[in-house]
Amino acid sequence: MEEPEVVIPEVMPAHHEFGPSKYSSLFECPCYEGKTDGSPDAVRGTYSHLVVQANITGDMSLLEKANKPDLVQQDDIATGEWGAGEIKALAGSHEIHSEDKIMFNPQLDNDLPVMKGVFGTVDAWFEDDNGFLHICDYKTFDRGEKDHTPQMSGYAVLICSHHPQYIGNTIYLHVIAGGIQKVITYMTNFQTAVSMVTSIICRALDPKREPCPGDCCRHCAKAVDCQGVSNVIETVQNKGVWNSLCMADKKVLVESLKKIIQNFDADFEKEIEEHKGELESPTSGVKWITVLKNPNRVCTSNADLAKALAKHNIGAAQFVNELCKVTRKNIVEALVKANPGMKSGKAEDIIDVYYAIPANGKKSKSYKRVA
């Protein structure tokens, strides 16, 4: 296979202003600007990505050189190992390109001027037996609730700009969702990806662009001073305008406010920690302090507890079936830990026969905006 990718020099920044990693958020709001404050999740996610790369390439020295941050948890490492295993399983015997930093092919700048100089880092990609392109993006905490097609379409455009043999064929986009340990696959093609990506960039470059509050507000550096956020708040506060809206439109505004509040909560927590647990307003005198509570107590031995309860008319069957509740996730994790090499999918197969929807079970409800 040809290897004509343009490798970005190390002196270049880690991310391009309009690189693919921003596309999913810019798709929601053309005014989005990501934070660069090194949040705990960002630190953990970065190291977990390194675990994926080390396990794919077999170069474990990558982890030794990284000096694991104290914030990193064992689950982050285990999830990274799982992610690498899933990517290798998808690729089979095919070569996996890991952590490729690719710039849009300069020879195509005149064809797609908005992509000039754009680059991004692809977690992993490979070509299958049929010559089709597969792109994998590892998400440490993703639970399958967000559509990452915009970001991965960006990677598809970058790769195809150097590998025209993939143009005209189906392109497979695999989200390696660490939060649920599932692989979520989308399908696209070069023309569809180009259309989506150029639309995102053009909207972001439009001087008349308007902010669109949404899920991305949680991670946006502009959220506190955003005019779009202000418009939402003003609409809610204006009783006449609020009462004139139908319930569907009110729901859009309320969902936006939820994201704004989540963003604010994260900023507030960070600032009060920086001020050693105290925040006070110099004008109003309002003051907030951090209050620490002891964690909830947990049972130290279910076996000993069962024996004690048996002396007071609670039998073993009642204890196990009614009182000793364990989650399906906990059992899967325990099986994987107790059986080295076992995948979570195999563990699920073992226990699924013992699970069923109760006869009086009710479907959960959720709401998704589709227009």
Side-chain angles (χ1 to χ4, degrees):
M1 182 187 298
E2 299 179 13
E3 299 291 342
E5 289 92 351
V6 176
V7 179
I8 308 302
E10 290 302 319
V11 294
M12 294 290 284
H15 302 283
H16 187 274
E17 180 183 9
F18 292 115
S21 62
K22 295 184 178 180
Y23 291 169
S24 294
S25 294
L26 286 172
F27 181 75
E28 292 183 17
C29 176
C31 299
Y32 171 81
E33 183 178 311
K35 295 181 180 179
T36 56
D37 56 1
S39 67
D41 279 357
V43 172
R44 293 172 57 194
T46 297
Y47 191 84
S48 193
H49 269 78
L50 197 61
V51 172
V52 174
Q53 182 184 5
N55 279 271
I56 287 177
T57 62
D59 183 4
M60 304 311 291
S61 67
L62 293 171
L63 299 178
E64 297 171 6
K65 298 173 184 176
N67 296 321
K68 180 169 70 71
D70 292 337
L71 287 170
V72 173
Q73 301 176 14
Q74 186 57 40
D75 279 352
D76 304 331
I77 297 173
T79 303
E81 293 171 344
W82 166 83
E86 292 298 317
I87 293 171
K88 289 192 286 187
L90 285 169
S93 61
H94 300 285
E95 178 186 4
I96 301 173
H97 301 263
S98 175
E99 291 297 313
D100 268 6
K101 188 175 282 189
I102 304 173
M103 177 184 284
F104 184 73
N105 191 340
Q107 296 178 9
L108 301 180
D109 284 348
N110 291 333
D111 297 320
L112 284 175
V114 296
M115 293 296 294
K116 182 178 181 179
V118 172
F119 62 85
T121 302
V122 187
D123 287 348
W125 67 274
F126 60 89
E127 178 182 307
D128 68 18
D129 289 332
N130 298 313
F132 290 176
L133 173 63
H134 292 250
I135 301 172
C136 301
D137 195 56
Y138 171 69
K139 302 291 185 184
T140 312
F141 309 110
D142 191 88
R143 300 192 59 80
E145 298 164 343
K146 184 172 182 178
D147 183 359
H148 298 284
T149 303
Q151 177 181 356
M152 300 186 75
S153 293
Y155 296 141
V157 173
L158 294 182
I159 295 172
C160 287
S161 74
H162 294 279
H163 296 278
Q165 68 268 31
Y166 301 136
I167 297 175
N169 292 330
T170 299
I171 299 172
Y172 295 88
L173 312 175
H174 306 288
V175 177
I176 315 301
I180 53 174
Q181 296 207 352
K182 296 284 186 183
V183 176
I184 302 167
T185 300
Y186 308 106
M187 289 183 287
T188 189
N189 56 60
F190 179 71
Q191 292 301 330
T192 300
V194 166
S195 178
M196 173 174 279
V197 169
T198 54
S199 174
I200 290 170
I201 296 177
C202 288
R203 286 179 65 221
L205 290 171
D206 185 352
K208 297 181 180 179
R209 67 189 183 278
E210 294 287 342
C212 304
D215 185 67
C216 61
C217 290
R218 289 184 296 166
H219 310 291
C220 184
K222 299 177 180 178
V224 175
D225 303 313
C226 176
Q227 185 57 48
V229 172
S230 298
N231 291 341
V232 171
I233 295 174
E234 288 174 8
T235 300
V236 173
Q237 289 179 331
N238 188 320
K239 190 172 182 180
V241 174
W242 176 254
N243 289 338
S244 69
L245 296 175
C246 71
M247 197 59 71
D249 289 328
K250 287 181 178 180
K251 179 67 174 175
V252 172
L253 295 176
V254 169
E255 290 300 313
S256 297
L257 284 174
K258 288 180 182 179
K259 307 306 179 184
I260 295 166
I261 292 170
Q262 288 175 339
N263 190 15
F264 169 80
D265 286 344
D267 289 340
F268 178 83
E269 183 177 354
K270 178 184 176 184
E271 185 161 344
I272 198 168
E273 286 180 359
E274 290 175 349
H275 287 79
K276 299 181 179 179
E278 292 188 5
L279 272 183
E280 184 171 3
S281 168
T283 53
S284 68
V286 171
K287 182 177 181 179
W288 298 84
I289 64 170
T290 300
V291 177
L292 301 178
K293 295 182 179 180
N294 288 329
N296 293 329
R297 291 186 294 176
V298 297
C299 181
T300 56
S301 172
N302 285 343
D304 290 342
L305 177 60
K307 291 177 183 178
L309 294 178
K311 298 176 182 179
H312 299 278
N313 304 317
I314 293 181
Q318 182 182 2
F319 177 76
V320 171
N321 293 326
E322 299 179 18
L323 305 178
C324 187
K325 299 294 184 182
V326 292
T327 66
R328 183 172 177 274
K329 180 181 178 181
N330 287 342
I331 296 176
V332 168
E333 291 174 349
L335 273 171
V336 171
K337 184 176 181 179
N339 298 274
M342 178 180 287
K343 301 292 185 182
S344 58
K346 175 62 176 177
E348 290 174 349
D349 289 341
I350 292 172
I351 68 171
D352 274 351
V353 67
Y354 302 105
Y355 284 82
I357 298 173
N360 59 347
K362 296 181 179 179
K363 293 183 178 181
S364 60
K365 293 182 179 180
S366 61
Y367 305 96
K368 178 181 179 180
R369 183 181 177 185
V370 294

